[in-house]
Amino acid sequence: MTAVLAFSTPASGTAQPAGPALPITFDRLGRSFGTGNDEHVVLRDVSFDVVPGEVLAVLGASGCGKSTLLRAAAGLDRPSSGAVLIGGKPVNGISEQCAVAFQEPRLLPWQTLQANIAIGLPKSSSASRGKARVAELLDLVGLTAFAKHRPRAVSGGMAQRASLARALAREPGVLLLDEPFGALDALTRLKMQDLLLSLHRAAPATVLLVTHDVDEALQLADRIIVLGTEPGAPGATITNVVAVPGDRPRDRASAELARMRGELLALLGVERR
């Protein structure tokens, strides 16, 4: 049974549907690997909706299936049972409506940042429109002066900004983020969180964010879903749903968020001290 923690009312800062933002539905999703005695159930009966323009974070212990959930939404993996729907249509392979950013930038090392961002453009983009879109994104992520640099010539944070710009190049209805700032140092991570919020205000796609960082989830998300296991049942499922109060950007020193942080850490098995 899913427990809903009533920390507060739903966030008043939830982004309003705009532009291409699309809803996501996870309908009794299950994923297992192997068969018979070797079967390993990763996800079991996961059901939830993400409304257009919402930022929803997924928290859970390492290995609980967070990335597996995201891969199913991206069309990079097929569920064993259930389905994922985007814009009301079942996900069946990689969709032009989605873009993904991973923990590592995964830029082509022989290409410039400008060229790497251009890789994300829709195939239907004209040359002039594509060039203008790449220039716009370079400006948005603060990389215009480094457009001709190759990935090895810039910092990890700058490379991750380019990766995020590449994901946004196709103007996706859904942006899937798999621990996108996990490999960055603490200060760069905070700056990247602020950048993501700025980009979301400019083009509020629906965002599904997988993270292991409770503070990051509280800073960025409208709601947080916690994945965990239940006694006697295989695989992870939704154990808690949390609505995060307040408009974004939120005060990182907020007493309310500090209290919620403690509650969420407890749900993840981290004892309070």
Side-chain angles (χ1 to χ4, degrees):
M1 180 68 68
T2 299
V4 179
L5 299 186
F7 288 132
S8 183
T9 54
S12 59
T14 301
Q16 296 302 310
L22 296 169
I24 313 172
T25 296
F26 288 82
D27 183 16
R28 296 171 293 176
L29 186 80
R31 185 66 171 104
S32 60
F33 297 90
T35 59
N37 293 333
D38 295 326
E39 184 181 27
H40 173 54
V41 179
V42 177
L43 294 171
R44 174 181 54 82
D45 197 26
V46 175
S47 295
F48 65 93
D49 296 307
V50 192
V51 301
E54 182 179 16
V55 180
L56 188 142
V58 181
L59 284 175
S62 179
C64 74
K66 300 186 299 296
S67 293
T68 301
L69 193 75
L70 202 76
R71 288 176 61 83
L76 297 171
D77 187 30
R78 289 181 179 274
S80 303
S81 59
V84 184
L85 294 86
I86 292 180
K89 299 179 180 179
V91 172
N92 185 21
I94 298 172
S95 170
E96 284 287 321
Q97 298 172 319
C98 292
V100 187
F102 300 96
Q103 184 173 351
E104 300 295 334
R106 301 189 183 184
L107 302 177
L108 299 179
W110 60 86
Q111 295 281 16
T112 64
L113 298 188
Q114 182 181 55
N116 270 286
I117 293 171
I119 291 170
L121 292 168
K123 295 178 181 178
S124 59
S125 294
S126 65
S128 59
R129 172 56 185 155
K131 184 177 181 180
R133 178 61 176 160
V134 170
E136 176 188 12
L137 287 166
L138 283 165
D139 182 57
L140 280 172
V141 299
L143 291 176
T144 299
F146 301 90
K148 299 298 184 181
H149 285 58
R150 288 180 170 78
R152 66 177 180 273
V154 300
S155 68
M158 294 167 74
Q160 197 64 8
R161 278 188 267 163
S163 175
L164 190 57
R166 179 182 59 192
L168 294 170
R170 67 175 60 185
E171 301 180 56
V174 171
L175 181 60
L176 304 170
L177 303 176
D178 192 359
E179 299 193 21
F181 313 135
L184 303 176
D185 64 85
L187 181 58
T188 303
R189 188 181 187 115
L190 295 180
K191 291 179 178 178
M192 287 296 295
Q193 291 170 8
D194 292 340
L195 173 63
L196 178 60
L197 291 179
S198 296
L199 294 172
H200 188 260
R201 283 193 295 270
T206 306
V207 178
L208 186 60
L209 168 69
V210 164
T211 181
H212 64 270
D213 188 322
V214 170
D215 292 318
E216 182 166 272
L218 288 170
Q219 184 67 17
L220 299 178
D222 299 305
R223 288 186 299 147
I224 300 170
I225 281 177
V226 181
L227 289 180
T229 57
E230 295 177 331
T237 191
I238 297 173
T239 58
N240 303 89
V241 181
V242 179
V244 186
D247 294 338
R248 294 186 298 255
R250 301 184 178 112
D251 180 4
R252 289 188 169 93
S254 162
E256 175 71 358
L257 293 187
R259 183 180 70 82
M260 294 177 68
R261 179 179 185 272
E263 296 283 354
L264 284 166
L265 286 172
L267 290 172
L268 295 169
V270 179
E271 295 183 3
R272 299 189 195 187
R273 298 184 183 276

